[in-house]
Amino acid sequence: MITARTSEIAPKDRALRGIDGSRATLKKTLLVCAILFTALVVVIIFMALLGSEKLPTQASLCALFTFGKSSCGLTGDQDAILFDIRLPRILLGAAVGGSLAVAGASYQSLLRNPLAEPYLLGISNGAAVGTMIALVFMGAYEWSRPLMAFSGALIATLVVYRLAQGRTGATPERLILAGVIVTTFLSSAIVFVTTLMDATRIRSFTFWLLGDLSGTTTKLLWLGLFIAIAGTIVLAAHARSLNLLMLGERDAFDLGVEVSRVRLVVFIVASLLVGSSVASSGSVGYVGLVVPHLVRLSLGSDNRITVPAAAICGAIFVVVADTIARTIIAPRELPVGAITALIGAPLFVYLLRRR
Amino acid sequence: MLKRHLLPFQTSGARRRVFTVLLCLGLLVAACSKPNSNKTDSQLGFHQTIDEAGRTITVPDTVTRFISLAPSLTEIVYAIGAGEGLVGRTTYCTYPPEAQKVEAVGDTLKPSIERIIALRPQIVFVSTASQLEAFTNELEAHHIAVYVADSHDLEGVFHSIERVAEVLGKRTQADELLKQLRARVSFVAERVKSQPPVRVFYQVSDEPLYTIGRDAFITDLIKRAGGVSVTADIPGAWPKYSAESALAAKPEAIILPTGGSMGNANSNVASALKRSPAVISGRVYKVNDDHLSRPGPRAVDGLEDLARALHPEVFTK
């Protein structure tokens, strides 16, 4: 009994010490973020040079550094390829990757489950069903897509959360089972909605369902970037509460965390993040799983660092994966979700075996 | 009735004919009482042929009941005057209008095997475009012959018409039809012969961007209409295409297949192509996708649509 109690106090202690050292953590967070952000910018610039069409490297770099103000000898078409096609797609990839990774990181802390991830929990599928309903029945309204995706993600989140709450609390296995049930149910819903569509559109939808960054509007891109950045800031601001929630909801409550409020904030913000990324690019899988875990492996599990770091690393991961998707069989393309899953699934197995 | 079935077998004497009738009856009874044995196929009332997928199939000599699982094949069947034997079609088979009176057995992607078997067809026509390989095996397990049509260019479409007509015993009608179609094709060829080919981007869908590749028969139609598809060398029939490559190819004209029985989807040019020469010079053409997506007799209508769009100057009426 006594040993059990002491071992219970120890992590609390550590968490409390974490609060005392918050200034030191802030410094570390800023340093880590600065380094990672520089890496992201370098990756974006480098990936902007790669594509199915070869652009002159020096001229492209020059144009990128002047933010397109000077064409640096690029022809009109090359300029359009770089700034109207490639860069928006890369930025969308960054927004989607950041959104999904942050959503995954906060689900994992909140639900105290290392396997929690928008795709595996069926939340991406919820957003996908919402998007497809918007496309089939509300095609005329551009904003119906992200709005319905958000609603779908939120409903799926709440259903999975409810299903996972057993008499003995939410075990990791129960949560994953709930996710499987919701995922398969929503997959059937997707099949049902596709039968309501034109035959010619079904092919493009199956592609989109696997995650595809090629087709988006400028408005959705800006919305995606805004939600990714705002969502990361909001969730990073709740990182201390998320740290304490990793001890369990009751302990967190005893330590002064407004558990139900934090839970609601995380659910809404994460649903917004997943909804906006699915509305613009379908379900890109495994990002929310792979990225937070890699970040924790290298930087520890303090959410004050993990949440913002996961956002930037997620952005890097998807930008690189999408560059592979759009160049490997150029000028044809693969869905980016296929690449993230190819990298993510083996890593997932590795993480499962390590537990 | 039975005698007419046997007519293709030219026998010498009356005795032999009676014998044949009896033998045939016997075999029929045997076939009916033991539906699992198909030993009897090859001898009488059936012959072997090779379909367009290169499969050897056993088809009845006289076909009176059949099903088409592709809009293009339904159109071929009616164009050669064999429509009265059609007992089943897909929901996409909407042309000619009389086809809509025939019972639908589901859509091209998910036809109902139960309904097909219940309709007792002697043969089912499918197209490789409908991706029904697994389905084909299931039908053959139920002793229903499956003819697979597979055309990658206009000659292939004409070949399909010829072969389907052979199976259905409508060879003369098909020859007449093909004569007319070929005349229209050479009329177009004559007109566009002296015109410089127009570089065409064919947009199957804008988001994500799909186009036509090497194996699509539309690639051939564009060539015959006095154009050249900028994606003519891309492997596959319907590749997902890089937006930047589409722009870099500098298409002089963009074709949007839209407005047919599938509705008005795909009526906007992909945003990435807004700066292409085609859009700048206003050379974006909407063409009825029913003419272009169905490798049947109306493909020639599609050819004329394309030629008129690409070379309006030689088609003034």
Short mmCIF file of all heavy atoms in Angstrom, two decimals, chain A residues 50-53 76-77 80-81 84-86 89 145 197-204 207-208 212 214-217 326 331-333, chain B residues 92 109 131 205-210 234-236 238-245 247-248 250 262-263 265 271-272 275 277 289:
data_model
loop_
_atom_site.label_atom_id
_atom_site.label_comp_id
_atom_site.label_asym_id
_atom_site.label_seq_id
_atom_site.Cartn_x
_atom_site.Cartn_y
_atom_site.Cartn_z
N LEU A 50 11.78 21.33 -55.85
CA LEU A 50 11.53 20.02 -56.45
C LEU A 50 10.10 19.93 -56.96
O LEU A 50 9.17 20.43 -56.33
CB LEU A 50 11.75 18.91 -55.40
CG LEU A 50 13.14 18.80 -54.81
CD1 LEU A 50 13.15 17.78 -53.69
CD2 LEU A 50 14.15 18.41 -55.88
N GLY A 51 9.94 19.27 -58.09
CA GLY A 51 8.60 19.10 -58.64
C GLY A 51 8.68 18.37 -59.95
O GLY A 51 9.78 18.01 -60.40
N SER A 52 7.54 18.13 -60.56
CA SER A 52 7.55 17.38 -61.80
C SER A 52 8.19 18.18 -62.93
O SER A 52 8.69 17.62 -63.89
CB SER A 52 6.13 16.97 -62.18
OG SER A 52 5.34 18.10 -62.39
N GLU A 53 8.16 19.51 -62.81
CA GLU A 53 8.84 20.35 -63.80
C GLU A 53 10.13 20.87 -63.19
O GLU A 53 10.15 21.27 -62.02
CB GLU A 53 7.94 21.53 -64.19
CG GLU A 53 6.70 21.13 -64.94
CD GLU A 53 6.98 20.33 -66.20
OE1 GLU A 53 7.81 20.80 -67.01
OE2 GLU A 53 6.41 19.23 -66.37
N GLY A 76 7.24 33.61 -67.15
CA GLY A 76 5.91 33.75 -66.54
C GLY A 76 5.37 32.43 -66.05
O GLY A 76 4.83 32.32 -64.95
N ASP A 77 5.54 31.38 -66.88
CA ASP A 77 5.04 30.06 -66.51
C ASP A 77 5.77 29.51 -65.29
O ASP A 77 5.17 28.94 -64.39
CB ASP A 77 5.19 29.08 -67.68
CG ASP A 77 4.01 29.17 -68.62
OD1 ASP A 77 3.08 29.94 -68.31
OD2 ASP A 77 4.03 28.48 -69.65
N ALA A 80 4.62 31.17 -62.27
CA ALA A 80 3.29 30.69 -61.88
C ALA A 80 3.41 29.31 -61.22
O ALA A 80 2.73 29.03 -60.23
CB ALA A 80 2.39 30.60 -63.10
N ILE A 81 4.28 28.45 -61.77
CA ILE A 81 4.46 27.12 -61.18
C ILE A 81 4.96 27.25 -59.75
O ILE A 81 4.45 26.63 -58.82
CB ILE A 81 5.45 26.28 -62.03
CG1 ILE A 81 4.78 25.84 -63.33
CG2 ILE A 81 5.94 25.07 -61.25
CD1 ILE A 81 5.69 25.13 -64.30
N ASP A 84 2.15 29.99 -57.73
CA ASP A 84 0.71 29.72 -57.75
C ASP A 84 0.38 28.25 -57.54
O ASP A 84 -0.73 27.92 -57.14
CB ASP A 84 0.09 30.17 -59.09
CG ASP A 84 0.25 31.66 -59.30
OD1 ASP A 84 0.59 32.34 -58.32
OD2 ASP A 84 0.05 32.12 -60.44
N ILE A 85 1.33 27.36 -57.83
CA ILE A 85 1.02 25.94 -57.73
C ILE A 85 1.81 25.28 -56.60
O ILE A 85 1.25 24.69 -55.69
CB ILE A 85 1.28 25.22 -59.08
CG1 ILE A 85 0.38 25.81 -60.16
CG2 ILE A 85 1.03 23.72 -58.94
CD1 ILE A 85 0.64 25.28 -61.54
N ARG A 86 3.15 25.42 -56.65
CA ARG A 86 3.98 24.67 -55.71
C ARG A 86 3.90 25.22 -54.29
O ARG A 86 3.63 24.48 -53.34
CB ARG A 86 5.42 24.70 -56.19
CG ARG A 86 5.96 23.32 -56.43
CD ARG A 86 7.37 23.40 -56.89
NE ARG A 86 7.50 22.82 -58.21
CZ ARG A 86 8.66 22.78 -58.86
NH1 ARG A 86 9.74 23.32 -58.31
NH2 ARG A 86 8.72 22.23 -60.04
N ARG A 89 0.70 24.71 -52.34
CA ARG A 89 0.54 23.31 -51.97
C ARG A 89 1.45 22.95 -50.80
O ARG A 89 1.06 22.21 -49.89
CB ARG A 89 0.86 22.44 -53.19
CG ARG A 89 0.74 20.97 -52.91
CD ARG A 89 0.74 20.16 -54.19
NE ARG A 89 0.73 18.74 -53.84
CZ ARG A 89 0.47 17.79 -54.71
NH1 ARG A 89 0.21 18.09 -55.95
NH2 ARG A 89 0.48 16.53 -54.33
N ARG A 145 -18.01 23.26 -46.56
CA ARG A 145 -17.06 22.15 -46.45
C ARG A 145 -16.32 22.14 -45.12
O ARG A 145 -16.43 21.17 -44.37
CB ARG A 145 -16.07 22.21 -47.61
CG ARG A 145 -16.34 21.17 -48.67
CD ARG A 145 -15.54 21.44 -49.90
NE ARG A 145 -14.20 20.88 -49.80
CZ ARG A 145 -13.36 20.80 -50.83
NH1 ARG A 145 -13.72 21.26 -52.00
NH2 ARG A 145 -12.17 20.28 -50.67
N MET A 197 -23.09 9.90 -55.56
CA MET A 197 -22.33 10.80 -56.42
C MET A 197 -22.27 10.30 -57.85
O MET A 197 -22.54 9.14 -58.12
CB MET A 197 -20.89 10.89 -55.91
CG MET A 197 -20.75 11.73 -54.71
SD MET A 197 -19.01 11.96 -54.50
CE MET A 197 -18.92 11.86 -52.77
N ASP A 198 -21.84 11.18 -58.75
CA ASP A 198 -21.60 10.78 -60.14
C ASP A 198 -20.51 9.73 -60.19
O ASP A 198 -19.58 9.78 -59.41
CB ASP A 198 -21.06 11.96 -60.97
CG ASP A 198 -21.90 13.18 -60.84
OD1 ASP A 198 -23.05 13.03 -60.42
OD2 ASP A 198 -21.40 14.25 -61.17
N ALA A 199 -20.61 8.84 -61.16
CA ALA A 199 -19.56 7.84 -61.32
C ALA A 199 -18.22 8.49 -61.60
O ALA A 199 -17.19 8.04 -61.12
CB ALA A 199 -19.92 6.89 -62.46
N THR A 200 -18.23 9.57 -62.37
CA THR A 200 -16.96 10.21 -62.74
C THR A 200 -16.28 10.83 -61.54
O THR A 200 -15.07 11.00 -61.53
CB THR A 200 -17.19 11.28 -63.80
OG1 THR A 200 -18.34 12.03 -63.46
CG2 THR A 200 -17.34 10.68 -65.17
N ARG A 201 -17.06 11.18 -60.52
CA ARG A 201 -16.44 11.84 -59.38
C ARG A 201 -15.94 10.85 -58.34
O ARG A 201 -15.15 11.20 -57.48
CB ARG A 201 -17.43 12.81 -58.73
CG ARG A 201 -17.62 14.06 -59.57
CD ARG A 201 -18.73 14.91 -59.04
NE ARG A 201 -18.32 15.69 -57.89
CZ ARG A 201 -19.18 16.46 -57.21
NH1 ARG A 201 -20.44 16.52 -57.58
NH2 ARG A 201 -18.77 17.15 -56.19
N ILE A 202 -16.39 9.58 -58.44
CA ILE A 202 -16.03 8.61 -57.41
C ILE A 202 -14.52 8.40 -57.38
O ILE A 202 -13.91 8.37 -56.33
CB ILE A 202 -16.77 7.28 -57.64
CG1 ILE A 202 -18.24 7.48 -57.28
CG2 ILE A 202 -16.17 6.18 -56.79
CD1 ILE A 202 -19.12 6.31 -57.56
N ARG A 203 -13.91 8.32 -58.57
CA ARG A 203 -12.47 8.09 -58.63
C ARG A 203 -11.72 9.21 -57.92
O ARG A 203 -10.84 8.97 -57.09
CB ARG A 203 -12.01 8.00 -60.08
CG ARG A 203 -10.55 7.63 -60.22
CD ARG A 203 -10.06 8.00 -61.59
NE ARG A 203 -10.86 7.40 -62.64
CZ ARG A 203 -10.59 6.22 -63.18
NH1 ARG A 203 -9.56 5.56 -62.79
NH2 ARG A 203 -11.35 5.73 -64.12
N SER A 204 -12.09 10.45 -58.21
CA SER A 204 -11.38 11.54 -57.57
C SER A 204 -11.63 11.55 -56.07
O SER A 204 -10.78 11.98 -55.30
CB SER A 204 -11.73 12.88 -58.22
OG SER A 204 -13.08 12.95 -58.54
N PHE A 207 -9.42 9.04 -54.29
CA PHE A 207 -8.09 9.63 -54.20
C PHE A 207 -8.04 10.63 -53.05
O PHE A 207 -7.13 10.62 -52.23
CB PHE A 207 -7.78 10.35 -55.52
CG PHE A 207 -6.31 10.47 -55.81
CD1 PHE A 207 -5.70 9.53 -56.62
CD2 PHE A 207 -5.57 11.50 -55.29
CE1 PHE A 207 -4.35 9.62 -56.90
CE2 PHE A 207 -4.22 11.60 -55.57
CZ PHE A 207 -3.61 10.66 -56.37
N TRP A 208 -9.05 11.48 -52.99
CA TRP A 208 -9.10 12.51 -51.95
C TRP A 208 -9.16 11.88 -50.56
O TRP A 208 -8.53 12.36 -49.62
CB TRP A 208 -10.31 13.40 -52.23
CG TRP A 208 -10.61 14.38 -51.16
CD1 TRP A 208 -10.01 15.60 -50.98
CD2 TRP A 208 -11.57 14.25 -50.10
NE1 TRP A 208 -10.54 16.22 -49.88
CE2 TRP A 208 -11.50 15.41 -49.32
CE3 TRP A 208 -12.47 13.25 -49.75
CZ2 TRP A 208 -12.30 15.61 -48.21
CZ3 TRP A 208 -13.27 13.45 -48.64
CH2 TRP A 208 -13.18 14.62 -47.88
N ASP A 212 -4.98 14.09 -50.13
CA ASP A 212 -4.40 14.66 -51.34
C ASP A 212 -4.35 16.16 -51.19
O ASP A 212 -5.33 16.79 -50.83
CB ASP A 212 -5.26 14.27 -52.55
CG ASP A 212 -4.77 14.96 -53.80
OD1 ASP A 212 -3.55 14.97 -54.00
OD2 ASP A 212 -5.60 15.48 -54.57
N SER A 214 -3.41 18.31 -53.64
CA SER A 214 -3.28 19.03 -54.91
C SER A 214 -4.42 20.00 -55.15
O SER A 214 -4.22 21.04 -55.76
CB SER A 214 -3.18 18.03 -56.06
OG SER A 214 -4.42 17.40 -56.24
N GLY A 215 -5.61 19.67 -54.70
CA GLY A 215 -6.72 20.55 -55.05
C GLY A 215 -7.21 21.35 -53.88
O GLY A 215 -7.78 20.81 -52.95
N THR A 216 -7.00 22.64 -53.89
CA THR A 216 -7.57 23.46 -52.82
C THR A 216 -7.75 24.88 -53.33
O THR A 216 -7.19 25.26 -54.33
CB THR A 216 -6.71 23.44 -51.56
OG1 THR A 216 -7.46 24.02 -50.49
CG2 THR A 216 -5.43 24.24 -51.74
N THR A 217 -8.56 25.63 -52.61
CA THR A 217 -8.76 27.03 -52.98
C THR A 217 -7.91 27.90 -52.06
O THR A 217 -7.51 27.47 -50.98
CB THR A 217 -10.23 27.42 -52.84
OG1 THR A 217 -10.61 27.25 -51.48
CG2 THR A 217 -11.13 26.57 -53.71
N ARG A 326 4.42 13.85 -55.03
CA ARG A 326 4.22 14.52 -56.31
C ARG A 326 5.41 14.40 -57.25
O ARG A 326 5.34 14.84 -58.40
CB ARG A 326 3.85 16.00 -56.09
CG ARG A 326 4.89 16.86 -55.45
CD ARG A 326 4.33 18.21 -55.03
NE ARG A 326 5.23 18.89 -54.13
CZ ARG A 326 6.25 19.63 -54.53
NH1 ARG A 326 6.49 19.79 -55.80
NH2 ARG A 326 7.04 20.20 -53.65
N PRO A 331 5.18 12.80 -64.32
CA PRO A 331 4.21 13.82 -63.92
C PRO A 331 2.90 13.29 -63.35
O PRO A 331 1.99 14.06 -63.13
CB PRO A 331 3.96 14.55 -65.24
CG PRO A 331 4.13 13.50 -66.27
CD PRO A 331 5.17 12.56 -65.75
N ARG A 332 2.82 12.00 -63.10
CA ARG A 332 1.64 11.52 -62.39
C ARG A 332 1.85 11.73 -60.91
O ARG A 332 2.95 12.05 -60.46
CB ARG A 332 1.41 10.03 -62.70
CG ARG A 332 0.96 9.81 -64.14
CD ARG A 332 0.82 8.35 -64.44
NE ARG A 332 2.10 7.68 -64.35
CZ ARG A 332 2.24 6.38 -64.16
NH1 ARG A 332 1.18 5.62 -64.03
NH2 ARG A 332 3.42 5.84 -64.10
N GLU A 333 0.80 11.54 -60.10
CA GLU A 333 0.94 11.81 -58.67
C GLU A 333 0.33 10.70 -57.83
O GLU A 333 -0.57 10.00 -58.26
CB GLU A 333 0.24 13.13 -58.33
CG GLU A 333 0.94 14.33 -58.89
CD GLU A 333 0.27 15.62 -58.50
OE1 GLU A 333 -0.85 15.59 -57.97
OE2 GLU A 333 0.89 16.67 -58.72
N TYR B 92 -26.48 3.48 -65.78
CA TYR B 92 -25.81 4.50 -66.61
C TYR B 92 -26.16 4.36 -68.09
O TYR B 92 -25.86 5.25 -68.87
CB TYR B 92 -24.29 4.40 -66.44
CG TYR B 92 -23.81 4.65 -65.04
CD1 TYR B 92 -22.83 3.86 -64.46
CD2 TYR B 92 -24.34 5.71 -64.28
CE1 TYR B 92 -22.40 4.09 -63.16
CE2 TYR B 92 -23.91 5.95 -62.99
CZ TYR B 92 -22.94 5.13 -62.43
OH TYR B 92 -22.51 5.36 -61.16
N LEU B 109 -20.47 -0.12 -61.53
CA LEU B 109 -19.51 -0.57 -60.54
C LEU B 109 -20.06 -1.70 -59.68
O LEU B 109 -19.32 -2.54 -59.21
CB LEU B 109 -19.09 0.60 -59.64
CG LEU B 109 -18.39 1.75 -60.37
CD1 LEU B 109 -18.25 2.95 -59.46
CD2 LEU B 109 -17.02 1.29 -60.85
N GLN B 131 -14.04 -2.43 -64.78
CA GLN B 131 -13.28 -3.14 -63.75
C GLN B 131 -14.09 -4.24 -63.08
O GLN B 131 -14.25 -4.27 -61.87
CB GLN B 131 -12.79 -2.14 -62.68
CG GLN B 131 -11.89 -1.10 -63.26
CD GLN B 131 -11.76 0.11 -62.38
OE1 GLN B 131 -12.51 0.29 -61.44
NE2 GLN B 131 -10.79 0.95 -62.68
N SER B 205 -11.16 15.74 -64.52
CA SER B 205 -11.74 16.38 -63.35
C SER B 205 -10.74 17.41 -62.84
O SER B 205 -9.53 17.26 -63.04
CB SER B 205 -12.09 15.37 -62.26
OG SER B 205 -10.95 15.04 -61.50
N ASP B 206 -11.26 18.47 -62.20
CA ASP B 206 -10.35 19.56 -61.82
C ASP B 206 -9.75 19.38 -60.43
O ASP B 206 -8.66 19.83 -60.16
CB ASP B 206 -11.05 20.92 -61.94
CG ASP B 206 -12.24 21.06 -61.01
OD1 ASP B 206 -12.83 20.02 -60.67
OD2 ASP B 206 -12.60 22.18 -60.66
N GLU B 207 -10.49 18.71 -59.53
CA GLU B 207 -9.97 18.62 -58.16
C GLU B 207 -10.23 17.24 -57.59
O GLU B 207 -11.37 16.93 -57.23
CB GLU B 207 -10.65 19.67 -57.28
CG GLU B 207 -10.05 19.78 -55.91
CD GLU B 207 -10.92 20.59 -54.97
OE1 GLU B 207 -11.51 21.58 -55.40
OE2 GLU B 207 -11.00 20.19 -53.82
N PRO B 208 -9.25 16.35 -57.54
CA PRO B 208 -7.89 16.50 -58.04
C PRO B 208 -7.84 16.47 -59.58
O PRO B 208 -8.80 16.04 -60.20
CB PRO B 208 -7.15 15.30 -57.46
CG PRO B 208 -8.14 14.47 -56.74
CD PRO B 208 -9.48 15.06 -56.92
N LEU B 209 -6.71 16.88 -60.12
CA LEU B 209 -6.58 17.01 -61.56
C LEU B 209 -6.35 15.64 -62.21
O LEU B 209 -5.31 15.02 -62.01
CB LEU B 209 -5.42 17.96 -61.88
CG LEU B 209 -5.26 18.36 -63.35
CD1 LEU B 209 -6.46 19.16 -63.82
CD2 LEU B 209 -3.99 19.16 -63.54
N TYR B 210 -7.34 15.20 -62.97
CA TYR B 210 -7.21 13.96 -63.72
C TYR B 210 -7.22 14.27 -65.21
O TYR B 210 -7.88 15.21 -65.65
CB TYR B 210 -8.38 13.02 -63.42
CG TYR B 210 -8.15 12.12 -62.25
CD1 TYR B 210 -8.59 12.49 -60.98
CD2 TYR B 210 -7.48 10.91 -62.39
CE1 TYR B 210 -8.37 11.66 -59.89
CE2 TYR B 210 -7.28 10.09 -61.31
CZ TYR B 210 -7.72 10.47 -60.06
OH TYR B 210 -7.50 9.65 -58.99
N ILE B 234 1.61 9.55 -71.35
CA ILE B 234 1.56 9.17 -69.94
C ILE B 234 0.95 7.77 -69.82
O ILE B 234 -0.09 7.49 -70.41
CB ILE B 234 0.70 10.19 -69.16
CG1 ILE B 234 1.25 11.61 -69.36
CG2 ILE B 234 0.65 9.84 -67.68
CD1 ILE B 234 2.68 11.80 -68.94
N PRO B 235 1.61 6.87 -69.08
CA PRO B 235 1.06 5.51 -68.95
C PRO B 235 -0.32 5.52 -68.28
O PRO B 235 -0.61 6.40 -67.46
CB PRO B 235 2.07 4.79 -68.05
CG PRO B 235 3.26 5.67 -67.98
CD PRO B 235 2.84 7.05 -68.32
N GLY B 236 -1.13 4.54 -68.63
CA GLY B 236 -2.46 4.44 -68.03
C GLY B 236 -3.50 5.16 -68.85
O GLY B 236 -3.19 5.84 -69.83
N TRP B 238 -6.39 6.91 -67.22
CA TRP B 238 -6.90 8.09 -66.50
C TRP B 238 -5.92 8.48 -65.41
O TRP B 238 -6.22 8.29 -64.23
CB TRP B 238 -8.28 7.79 -65.90
CG TRP B 238 -9.21 7.10 -66.85
CD1 TRP B 238 -9.51 5.77 -66.87
CD2 TRP B 238 -9.94 7.69 -67.92
NE1 TRP B 238 -10.38 5.51 -67.89
CE2 TRP B 238 -10.67 6.66 -68.55
CE3 TRP B 238 -10.06 9.00 -68.42
CZ2 TRP B 238 -11.49 6.88 -69.65
CZ3 TRP B 238 -10.87 9.22 -69.50
CH2 TRP B 238 -11.58 8.18 -70.11
N PRO B 239 -4.74 9.02 -65.74
CA PRO B 239 -3.78 9.34 -64.69
C PRO B 239 -4.16 10.61 -63.91
O PRO B 239 -4.75 11.53 -64.47
CB PRO B 239 -2.48 9.56 -65.46
CG PRO B 239 -2.91 9.97 -66.82
CD PRO B 239 -4.22 9.30 -67.07
N LYS B 240 -3.79 10.60 -62.63
CA LYS B 240 -3.85 11.84 -61.85
C LYS B 240 -2.61 12.62 -62.23
O LYS B 240 -1.52 12.07 -62.23
CB LYS B 240 -3.84 11.49 -60.37
CG LYS B 240 -3.44 12.63 -59.47
CD LYS B 240 -4.56 13.03 -58.58
CE LYS B 240 -4.15 14.04 -57.53
NZ LYS B 240 -3.11 14.99 -57.88
N TYR B 241 -2.80 13.89 -62.59
CA TYR B 241 -1.70 14.59 -63.24
C TYR B 241 -1.22 15.76 -62.41
O TYR B 241 -2.00 16.43 -61.71
CB TYR B 241 -2.17 15.08 -64.61
CG TYR B 241 -1.04 15.30 -65.58
CD1 TYR B 241 -0.24 14.24 -65.98
CD2 TYR B 241 -0.76 16.56 -66.08
CE1 TYR B 241 0.80 14.44 -66.86
CE2 TYR B 241 0.28 16.77 -66.96
CZ TYR B 241 1.07 15.70 -67.35
OH TYR B 241 2.09 15.89 -68.21
N SER B 242 0.08 16.04 -62.52
CA SER B 242 0.67 17.16 -61.81
C SER B 242 0.21 18.47 -62.43
O SER B 242 0.31 18.68 -63.64
CB SER B 242 2.19 17.04 -61.89
OG SER B 242 2.78 18.30 -61.80
N ALA B 243 -0.30 19.38 -61.59
CA ALA B 243 -0.82 20.65 -62.08
C ALA B 243 0.27 21.46 -62.77
O ALA B 243 0.05 22.10 -63.80
CB ALA B 243 -1.43 21.44 -60.93
N GLU B 244 1.48 21.41 -62.19
CA GLU B 244 2.55 22.23 -62.78
C GLU B 244 2.97 21.69 -64.15
O GLU B 244 3.29 22.48 -65.05
CB GLU B 244 3.73 22.35 -61.84
CG GLU B 244 4.35 21.06 -61.37
CD GLU B 244 5.41 21.31 -60.30
OE1 GLU B 244 5.07 21.61 -59.14
OE2 GLU B 244 6.58 21.21 -60.65
N SER B 245 2.93 20.36 -64.31
CA SER B 245 3.28 19.80 -65.62
C SER B 245 2.22 20.17 -66.65
O SER B 245 2.54 20.42 -67.81
CB SER B 245 3.40 18.28 -65.53
OG SER B 245 4.51 17.93 -64.74
N LEU B 247 0.46 22.88 -66.70
CA LEU B 247 0.69 24.29 -67.07
C LEU B 247 1.93 24.40 -67.96
O LEU B 247 1.93 25.12 -68.97
CB LEU B 247 0.84 25.14 -65.81
CG LEU B 247 1.13 26.62 -66.03
CD1 LEU B 247 -0.02 27.29 -66.75
CD2 LEU B 247 1.38 27.32 -64.70
N ALA B 248 2.99 23.67 -67.57
CA ALA B 248 4.24 23.76 -68.32
C ALA B 248 4.10 23.22 -69.74
O ALA B 248 4.87 23.57 -70.61
CB ALA B 248 5.34 23.01 -67.57
N LYS B 250 1.93 23.97 -71.73
CA LYS B 250 1.39 25.06 -72.54
C LYS B 250 0.29 24.61 -73.51
O LYS B 250 0.42 24.75 -74.73
CB LYS B 250 2.50 25.73 -73.36
CG LYS B 250 3.56 26.44 -72.53
CD LYS B 250 4.45 27.23 -73.46
CE LYS B 250 5.44 28.13 -72.77
NZ LYS B 250 6.21 27.58 -71.69
N MET B 262 -24.17 12.75 -66.81
CA MET B 262 -23.57 12.80 -65.48
C MET B 262 -23.69 14.19 -64.84
O MET B 262 -23.12 14.44 -63.79
CB MET B 262 -22.10 12.40 -65.54
CG MET B 262 -21.88 10.96 -65.87
SD MET B 262 -22.61 9.89 -64.64
CE MET B 262 -22.15 8.31 -65.31
N GLY B 263 -24.36 15.11 -65.52
CA GLY B 263 -24.54 16.43 -64.92
C GLY B 263 -23.42 17.39 -65.26
O GLY B 263 -22.61 17.14 -66.15
N ALA B 265 -20.82 18.57 -63.44
CA ALA B 265 -19.54 18.60 -62.74
C ALA B 265 -18.44 18.83 -63.78
O ALA B 265 -18.65 18.62 -64.96
CB ALA B 265 -19.31 17.28 -62.02
N SER B 271 -7.75 25.64 -61.33
CA SER B 271 -7.20 26.97 -61.08
C SER B 271 -5.74 27.07 -61.53
O SER B 271 -5.28 28.13 -61.94
CB SER B 271 -7.35 27.35 -59.61
OG SER B 271 -6.77 26.35 -58.81
N ALA B 272 -5.01 25.95 -61.47
CA ALA B 272 -3.61 25.97 -61.87
C ALA B 272 -3.44 26.31 -63.36
O ALA B 272 -2.40 26.79 -63.78
CB ALA B 272 -2.97 24.63 -61.58
N ARG B 275 -3.51 30.35 -66.09
CA ARG B 275 -2.51 31.12 -66.83
C ARG B 275 -2.07 30.43 -68.11
O ARG B 275 -1.13 30.88 -68.77
CB ARG B 275 -1.29 31.35 -65.95
CG ARG B 275 -1.50 32.32 -64.80
CD ARG B 275 -0.21 32.46 -64.03
NE ARG B 275 0.89 32.72 -64.95
CZ ARG B 275 1.43 33.92 -65.13
NH1 ARG B 275 0.98 34.93 -64.46
NH2 ARG B 275 2.42 34.09 -65.98
N PRO B 277 -1.97 29.15 -72.04
CA PRO B 277 -2.34 29.83 -73.29
C PRO B 277 -3.81 29.58 -73.67
O PRO B 277 -4.47 30.48 -74.19
CB PRO B 277 -1.40 29.20 -74.32
CG PRO B 277 -0.28 28.63 -73.54
CD PRO B 277 -0.80 28.31 -72.17
N ASP B 289 -19.77 14.88 -72.45
CA ASP B 289 -18.94 13.75 -71.99
C ASP B 289 -19.54 12.39 -72.36
O ASP B 289 -18.81 11.41 -72.39
CB ASP B 289 -18.66 13.85 -70.48
CG ASP B 289 -19.92 13.99 -69.65
OD1 ASP B 289 -20.94 14.39 -70.22
OD2 ASP B 289 -19.87 13.72 -68.44
#
